[in-house]
């Protein structure tokens, strides 16, 4: 996998890198396939940020006595 695929999906490329990667996508079938696989990653990461973990819901053991 190209590192740029993940960076592109996450929106961390600067404008020049973004444009260069889009030109690369025109020619690279493998990167286009990887892009399809990762396109939902930002949304999934956002959901994880807003999902309370078990440790957030349960008080620490020392406080439950």
């Amino acid at each position: 996998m190209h590192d740029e695929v993940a960076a592109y999906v996450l929106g961390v490329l600067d404008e020049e890198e973004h444009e260069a990667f889009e030109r690369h996508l025109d020619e690279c079938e493998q990167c286009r396939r990887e892009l399809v696989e990762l396109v939902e990653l930002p949304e999934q990461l956002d959901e994880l940020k807003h999902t309370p973990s078990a440790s957030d819901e349960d008080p620490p053991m020392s406080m439950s006595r």
Side-chain angles (χ1 to χ4, degrees):
M1 173 186 301
H2 283 110
D3 293 337
E4 291 85 7
V5 176
Y8 179 83
V9 168
L10 294 173
V12 297
L13 298 177
D14 65 30
E15 186 175 337
E16 185 177 319
E17 293 168 325
H18 180 90
E19 291 172 2
F21 186 72
E22 286 190 337
R23 286 190 301 274
H24 171 77
L25 282 174
D26 289 338
E27 301 174 9
C28 185
E29 177 66 29
Q30 180 178 349
C31 284
R32 288 194 300 268
R33 284 193 306 266
E34 292 172 6
L35 182 61
V36 169
E37 292 176 16
L38 294 177
V39 74
E40 294 179 5
L41 183 62
E43 183 178 315
Q44 292 169 343
L45 291 173
D46 193 48
E47 287 176 16
L48 284 175
K49 279 194 317 190
H50 296 96
T51 301
S53 67
S55 62
D56 291 341
E57 296 173 0
D58 297 329
M61 296 277 293
S62 61
M63 295 180 68
S64 62
R65 292 183 195 184

